[in-house]
Amino acid sequence: DTAVSQTPKYLVTQMGNDKSIKCEQNLGHDTMYWYKQDSKKFLKIMFSYNNKELIINETVPNRFSPKSPDKAHLNLHINSLELGDSAVYFCASSQLRPGGNEKLFFGSGTQLSVL
Amino acid sequence: DAKTTQPTSMDCAEGRAANLPCNHSTISGNEYVYWYRQIHSQGPQYIIHGLKNNETNEMASLIITEDRKSSTLILPHATLRDTAVYYCIATTSGTYKYIFGTGTRLKVLA
């Protein structure tokens, strides 16, 4: 069973379109994240959700709207796609634990290409 | 979160130990050191973490200096499959915000 699964794996679309990426985790974690990895391979946090509530929003344009219908799901909707949105988007989850034992588990990524 | 500094790249011969350093000279007393790696374009994978004591698990060992200003990740017998980018992160518990730097690109050579 895949712990953190994202769909689709690849997404090719035209500028100006709206698209969504879905993420699900079956680990029972209460925190989920979206990260963006650009062409220079820099991995940057976008959003963090804890128990369906937005905790971190790293000055991401409001064309990006995350939605967490429940603790196990975190989706990312992107409006009016731009060329600069081309990147790999990773979903991750973790469980808040005492003693710093908070491992991040990542999905396999969604490669978004905007033409 | 403390800033971490890692070498950009390293090579290691297959079967030898790979020692990956990380500098975190501004780390505070309640910040943990985590190591992750990213193989090719897969999602990053947790390796190990520690606070002040040295740690070992089935993947690696983590050595943290007594002053906690630096640490070393040790892969005892590197294989070709260990070729990856290795990230060192210093962060507090419950941060919700794990910041990945540029990491060290480790190449294991046959």
Side-chain angles (χ1 to χ4, degrees), chain A residues 14-42:
Chain A
Q14 300 284 335
M15 261 195 323
N17 283 352
D18 303 338
K19 289 292 177 188
S20 291
I21 307 172
K22 294 181 187 293
C23 179
E24 175 181 3
Q25 54 96 2
N26 63 5
L27 298 166
H29 289 169
D30 57 14
T31 306
M32 295 185 74
Y33 311 78
W34 279 110
Y35 279 82
K36 177 181 179 181
Q37 188 165 45
D38 59 25
S39 56
K40 294 183 181 174
K41 303 297 183 185
F42 190 57

Short mmCIF file of all heavy atoms in Angstrom, two decimals, chain A residues 14-42:
data_model
loop_
_atom_site.label_atom_id
_atom_site.label_comp_id
_atom_site.label_asym_id
_atom_site.label_seq_id
_atom_site.Cartn_x
_atom_site.Cartn_y
_atom_site.Cartn_z
N GLN A 14 -2.06 23.73 -21.12
CA GLN A 14 -1.79 25.02 -21.76
C GLN A 14 -1.85 26.13 -20.72
O GLN A 14 -2.57 26.03 -19.71
CB GLN A 14 -2.83 25.29 -22.85
CG GLN A 14 -2.87 24.25 -23.95
CD GLN A 14 -1.72 24.39 -24.91
OE1 GLN A 14 -1.15 25.46 -25.06
NE2 GLN A 14 -1.36 23.29 -25.56
N MET A 15 -1.14 27.20 -21.02
CA MET A 15 -1.21 28.42 -20.19
C MET A 15 -2.65 28.87 -20.08
O MET A 15 -3.41 28.80 -21.05
CB MET A 15 -0.42 29.53 -20.88
CG MET A 15 0.95 29.73 -20.33
SD MET A 15 1.72 31.28 -20.82
CE MET A 15 1.18 31.51 -22.47
N GLY A 16 -3.04 29.33 -18.90
CA GLY A 16 -4.37 29.87 -18.71
C GLY A 16 -5.39 28.86 -18.22
O GLY A 16 -6.46 29.23 -17.74
N ASN A 17 -5.05 27.57 -18.35
CA ASN A 17 -5.98 26.53 -17.88
C ASN A 17 -5.99 26.44 -16.36
O ASN A 17 -5.09 26.96 -15.68
CB ASN A 17 -5.59 25.17 -18.47
CG ASN A 17 -6.00 25.03 -19.92
OD1 ASN A 17 -6.71 25.89 -20.46
ND2 ASN A 17 -5.55 23.96 -20.56
N ASP A 18 -7.02 25.75 -15.85
CA ASP A 18 -7.11 25.45 -14.41
C ASP A 18 -6.94 23.94 -14.25
O ASP A 18 -7.54 23.17 -15.00
CB ASP A 18 -8.49 25.84 -13.87
CG ASP A 18 -8.83 27.29 -14.11
OD1 ASP A 18 -7.92 28.10 -14.31
OD2 ASP A 18 -10.04 27.61 -14.10
N LYS A 19 -6.13 23.56 -13.25
CA LYS A 19 -5.92 22.13 -13.03
C LYS A 19 -5.85 21.83 -11.53
O LYS A 19 -5.58 22.72 -10.72
CB LYS A 19 -4.59 21.67 -13.67
CG LYS A 19 -4.62 21.64 -15.19
CD LYS A 19 -5.55 20.57 -15.71
CE LYS A 19 -5.61 20.61 -17.24
NZ LYS A 19 -6.65 19.69 -17.76
N SER A 20 -6.08 20.56 -11.22
CA SER A 20 -6.00 20.11 -9.82
C SER A 20 -5.08 18.91 -9.68
O SER A 20 -4.99 18.09 -10.58
CB SER A 20 -7.38 19.72 -9.31
OG SER A 20 -8.21 20.84 -9.19
N ILE A 21 -4.42 18.85 -8.53
CA ILE A 21 -3.61 17.69 -8.15
C ILE A 21 -4.19 17.16 -6.84
O ILE A 21 -4.51 17.95 -5.94
CB ILE A 21 -2.14 18.07 -7.93
CG1 ILE A 21 -1.57 18.82 -9.13
CG2 ILE A 21 -1.30 16.82 -7.66
CD1 ILE A 21 -0.18 19.39 -8.89
N LYS A 22 -4.33 15.84 -6.78
CA LYS A 22 -4.91 15.25 -5.57
C LYS A 22 -3.86 14.50 -4.76
O LYS A 22 -2.92 13.94 -5.33
CB LYS A 22 -6.03 14.28 -5.95
CG LYS A 22 -7.23 14.95 -6.60
CD LYS A 22 -8.29 13.91 -6.92
CE LYS A 22 -9.42 14.50 -7.72
NZ LYS A 22 -10.22 15.47 -6.99
N CYS A 23 -4.02 14.49 -3.46
CA CYS A 23 -3.10 13.77 -2.58
C CYS A 23 -3.89 13.08 -1.48
O CYS A 23 -4.81 13.66 -0.89
CB CYS A 23 -2.09 14.73 -1.97
SG CYS A 23 -0.93 13.92 -0.84
N GLU A 24 -3.49 11.85 -1.20
CA GLU A 24 -4.14 11.08 -0.13
C GLU A 24 -3.07 10.36 0.66
O GLU A 24 -2.09 9.86 0.10
CB GLU A 24 -5.09 10.05 -0.75
CG GLU A 24 -5.72 9.11 0.26
CD GLU A 24 -6.64 8.09 -0.38
OE1 GLU A 24 -6.76 8.07 -1.63
OE2 GLU A 24 -7.25 7.31 0.36
N GLN A 25 -3.22 10.31 1.98
CA GLN A 25 -2.29 9.54 2.81
C GLN A 25 -3.08 8.57 3.68
O GLN A 25 -4.14 8.91 4.20
CB GLN A 25 -1.38 10.46 3.66
CG GLN A 25 -2.09 11.49 4.52
CD GLN A 25 -2.32 11.09 5.94
OE1 GLN A 25 -1.92 10.00 6.39
NE2 GLN A 25 -2.96 11.97 6.70
N ASN A 26 -2.54 7.36 3.81
CA ASN A 26 -3.22 6.33 4.61
C ASN A 26 -2.43 6.00 5.88
O ASN A 26 -2.51 4.89 6.40
CB ASN A 26 -3.44 5.07 3.76
CG ASN A 26 -2.14 4.42 3.30
OD1 ASN A 26 -1.06 4.86 3.68
ND2 ASN A 26 -2.24 3.40 2.47
N LEU A 27 -1.67 6.99 6.35
CA LEU A 27 -0.83 6.80 7.54
C LEU A 27 -1.49 7.27 8.82
O LEU A 27 -0.92 7.14 9.90
CB LEU A 27 0.50 7.55 7.34
CG LEU A 27 1.33 7.06 6.16
CD1 LEU A 27 2.44 8.06 5.83
CD2 LEU A 27 1.92 5.69 6.45
N GLY A 28 -2.66 7.87 8.69
CA GLY A 28 -3.33 8.40 9.87
C GLY A 28 -2.70 9.67 10.41
O GLY A 28 -2.95 10.07 11.54
N HIS A 29 -1.89 10.33 9.60
CA HIS A 29 -1.22 11.57 10.02
C HIS A 29 -2.21 12.73 10.09
O HIS A 29 -3.22 12.74 9.39
CB HIS A 29 -0.09 11.91 9.05
CG HIS A 29 1.08 11.00 9.15
ND1 HIS A 29 2.10 11.00 8.22
CD2 HIS A 29 1.41 10.06 10.07
CE1 HIS A 29 3.00 10.09 8.57
NE2 HIS A 29 2.60 9.51 9.68
N ASP A 30 -1.85 13.73 10.92
CA ASP A 30 -2.75 14.87 11.03
C ASP A 30 -2.24 16.12 10.30
O ASP A 30 -2.92 17.14 10.28
CB ASP A 30 -3.01 15.22 12.50
CG ASP A 30 -1.73 15.50 13.27
OD1 ASP A 30 -0.67 15.70 12.65
OD2 ASP A 30 -1.79 15.54 14.52
N THR A 31 -1.06 16.03 9.71
CA THR A 31 -0.49 17.18 9.01
C THR A 31 -0.11 16.80 7.59
O THR A 31 0.50 15.75 7.37
CB THR A 31 0.75 17.71 9.75
OG1 THR A 31 0.39 17.97 11.12
CG2 THR A 31 1.25 19.01 9.13
N MET A 32 -0.47 17.66 6.65
CA MET A 32 -0.13 17.43 5.24
C MET A 32 0.46 18.70 4.64
O MET A 32 0.20 19.81 5.13
CB MET A 32 -1.36 16.97 4.45
CG MET A 32 -1.87 15.61 4.92
SD MET A 32 -3.22 14.96 3.93
CE MET A 32 -2.36 14.46 2.43
N TYR A 33 1.26 18.52 3.61
CA TYR A 33 2.04 19.63 3.03
C TYR A 33 2.01 19.55 1.50
O TYR A 33 1.89 18.47 0.93
CB TYR A 33 3.51 19.52 3.44
CG TYR A 33 3.79 19.30 4.90
CD1 TYR A 33 3.65 18.04 5.48
CD2 TYR A 33 4.21 20.35 5.71
CE1 TYR A 33 3.93 17.83 6.82
CE2 TYR A 33 4.50 20.15 7.05
CZ TYR A 33 4.35 18.89 7.61
OH TYR A 33 4.63 18.68 8.93
N TRP A 34 2.21 20.71 0.89
CA TRP A 34 2.57 20.78 -0.51
C TRP A 34 3.93 21.46 -0.63
O TRP A 34 4.16 22.52 -0.05
CB TRP A 34 1.54 21.56 -1.33
CG TRP A 34 0.32 20.77 -1.70
CD1 TRP A 34 -0.94 20.93 -1.23
CD2 TRP A 34 0.26 19.67 -2.61
NE1 TRP A 34 -1.78 20.01 -1.78
CE2 TRP A 34 -1.08 19.22 -2.65
CE3 TRP A 34 1.20 19.01 -3.43
CZ2 TRP A 34 -1.50 18.16 -3.43
CZ3 TRP A 34 0.79 17.95 -4.21
CH2 TRP A 34 -0.55 17.53 -4.22
N TYR A 35 4.81 20.81 -1.42
CA TYR A 35 6.12 21.37 -1.74
C TYR A 35 6.21 21.51 -3.26
O TYR A 35 5.63 20.73 -4.01
CB TYR A 35 7.25 20.44 -1.28
CG TYR A 35 7.60 20.54 0.18
CD1 TYR A 35 6.87 19.86 1.14
CD2 TYR A 35 8.68 21.31 0.60
CE1 TYR A 35 7.20 19.94 2.48
CE2 TYR A 35 9.03 21.40 1.94
CZ TYR A 35 8.28 20.70 2.88
OH TYR A 35 8.61 20.79 4.21
N LYS A 36 6.99 22.50 -3.70
CA LYS A 36 7.24 22.70 -5.12
C LYS A 36 8.74 22.56 -5.37
O LYS A 36 9.54 23.16 -4.63
CB LYS A 36 6.77 24.10 -5.54
CG LYS A 36 7.06 24.44 -7.01
CD LYS A 36 6.59 25.86 -7.33
CE LYS A 36 6.90 26.22 -8.78
NZ LYS A 36 6.47 27.62 -9.11
N GLN A 37 9.12 21.78 -6.38
CA GLN A 37 10.53 21.63 -6.74
C GLN A 37 10.70 22.13 -8.16
O GLN A 37 10.18 21.54 -9.10
CB GLN A 37 10.99 20.19 -6.61
CG GLN A 37 12.50 20.04 -6.79
CD GLN A 37 13.01 18.70 -6.30
OE1 GLN A 37 12.41 17.67 -6.58
NE2 GLN A 37 14.11 18.70 -5.55
N ASP A 38 11.42 23.22 -8.31
CA ASP A 38 11.57 23.83 -9.63
C ASP A 38 12.70 23.17 -10.42
O ASP A 38 13.30 22.19 -9.97
CB ASP A 38 11.80 25.34 -9.50
CG ASP A 38 13.04 25.66 -8.67
OD1 ASP A 38 13.97 24.83 -8.59
OD2 ASP A 38 13.08 26.76 -8.09
N SER A 39 12.99 23.75 -11.56
CA SER A 39 13.97 23.14 -12.47
C SER A 39 15.38 23.12 -11.88
O SER A 39 16.21 22.32 -12.27
CB SER A 39 13.98 23.88 -13.81
OG SER A 39 14.24 25.25 -13.60
N LYS A 40 15.64 24.01 -10.93
CA LYS A 40 16.95 24.01 -10.27
C LYS A 40 16.98 23.05 -9.09
O LYS A 40 17.94 23.02 -8.33
CB LYS A 40 17.30 25.43 -9.80
CG LYS A 40 17.51 26.39 -10.94
CD LYS A 40 17.91 27.77 -10.45
CE LYS A 40 18.09 28.68 -11.65
NZ LYS A 40 18.33 30.07 -11.26
N LYS A 41 15.93 22.30 -8.92
CA LYS A 41 15.81 21.26 -7.90
C LYS A 41 15.69 21.80 -6.48
O LYS A 41 15.90 21.07 -5.52
CB LYS A 41 17.01 20.27 -7.98
CG LYS A 41 17.16 19.61 -9.33
CD LYS A 41 15.97 18.76 -9.67
CE LYS A 41 16.15 18.03 -10.97
NZ LYS A 41 14.93 17.31 -11.36
N PHE A 42 15.37 23.09 -6.35
CA PHE A 42 15.18 23.64 -5.03
C PHE A 42 13.80 23.27 -4.53
O PHE A 42 12.79 23.55 -5.20
CB PHE A 42 15.36 25.16 -5.08
CG PHE A 42 15.43 25.80 -3.75
CD1 PHE A 42 16.39 25.41 -2.82
CD2 PHE A 42 14.53 26.79 -3.40
CE1 PHE A 42 16.44 26.00 -1.58
CE2 PHE A 42 14.59 27.39 -2.16
CZ PHE A 42 15.54 26.99 -1.24
#
